């Protein structure tokens, strides 16, 4: 069985510092990925073409990061039936609230799953969870990641509890 890929697409290269968390998380999980810069406004033809061909090119999900007007995820979702996950990117206006609202407020029939402002790691985990529905090895990696987080919190709890024990 061919492993499905995830496309990580940002509206501008300036989004890369945020998007890196998604790239790193997908790499940690061993999920094949492609990283692109495509703009809903400056390269609409190329963005729509990419989205329309994504399924036949072997993608299982698209992660789209954009700030300000943040139309990228919605434009991509309008041209594919693959799951699209939007990362609203914090800009200089309203701490990213404008991007969050633009990403999450989609019309009926064209959903975009939306993570927190600058929430790239969660976007990658959500995409991996979607792919893991048909990939038991990826599901096991996600469980191991979750187990590692649990162990870290329990270790922190032990340290703090001992520090403040009466």
């Amino acid at each position: 069985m061919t492993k499905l890929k995830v496309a990580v697409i940002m509206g501008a290269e300036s989004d890369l510092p945020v998007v890196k968390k998604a790239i790193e998380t997908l790499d940690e999980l061993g999920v094949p990925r492609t990283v692109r810069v495509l703009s809903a406004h400056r390269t609409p033809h190329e963005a729509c073409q990419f989205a329309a061909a994504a399924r036949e090119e072997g993608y299982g999900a698209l992660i789209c990061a954009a700030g300000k007007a943040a139309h990228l995820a919605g434009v991509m979702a309008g041209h594919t039936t693959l799951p699209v996950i939007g990362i609203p990117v914090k800009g200089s206006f309203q701490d990213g609230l404008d991007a969050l609202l633009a990403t999450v407020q989609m019309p009926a029939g064209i959903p975009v799953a939306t993570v927190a402002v600058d929430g790239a790691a969660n976007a990658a985990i959500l995409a991996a969870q979607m792919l893991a529905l048909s990939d038991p090895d990826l599901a096991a990696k996600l469980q191991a990641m979750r187990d590692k987080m649990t162990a870290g919190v329990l270790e922190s709890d032990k340290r703090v509890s001992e520090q403040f024990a009466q």
Side-chain angles (χ1 to χ4, degrees):
M1 176 170 87
T2 303
K3 285 185 95 169
L4 292 174
K5 304 178 284 189
V6 172
V8 180
I9 305 159
M10 63 201 95
E13 190 174 357
S14 60
D15 299 328
L16 188 55
V18 170
V19 170
K20 278 186 178 181
K21 293 270 189 199
I23 297 165
E24 292 166 355
T25 302
L26 292 170
D27 288 349
E28 180 182 341
L29 291 167
V31 175
R33 46 88 184 145
T34 300
V35 180
R36 300 286 305 268
V37 176
L38 295 169
S39 170
H41 304 107
R42 295 181 188 102
T43 60
H45 177 74
E46 291 82 356
C48 295
Q49 239 180 357
F50 184 91
R55 183 181 301 277
E56 67 187 42
E57 294 293 327
Y59 292 95
L62 308 179
I63 297 173
C64 300
K68 298 181 182 174
H71 292 138
L72 182 60
V75 167
M76 300 297 269
H79 289 85
T80 186
T81 57
L82 291 174
V84 175
I85 303 164
I87 306 169
V89 176
K90 183 178 181 177
S92 59
F93 184 69
Q94 296 186 339
D95 282 338
L97 180 60
D98 53 340
L100 174 64
L101 293 174
T103 305
V104 78
Q105 293 290 358
M106 293 299 300
I110 310 294
V112 170
T114 307
V115 296
V117 173
D118 291 352
N122 271 354
I125 292 167
L126 182 56
Q129 289 174 328
M130 291 171 181
L131 300 184
L133 290 171
S134 60
D135 185 339
D137 293 334
L138 182 54
K141 289 178 184 178
L142 284 162
Q143 186 60 55
M145 179 183 274
R146 183 74 57 95
D147 292 345
K148 184 177 175 183
M149 284 188 276
T150 299
V153 171
L154 293 175
E155 183 57 38
S156 293
D157 176 50
K158 180 180 174 187
R159 235 183 358 264
V160 170
S161 294
E162 289 172 358
Q163 181 180 356
F164 293 99
Q166 292 186 356

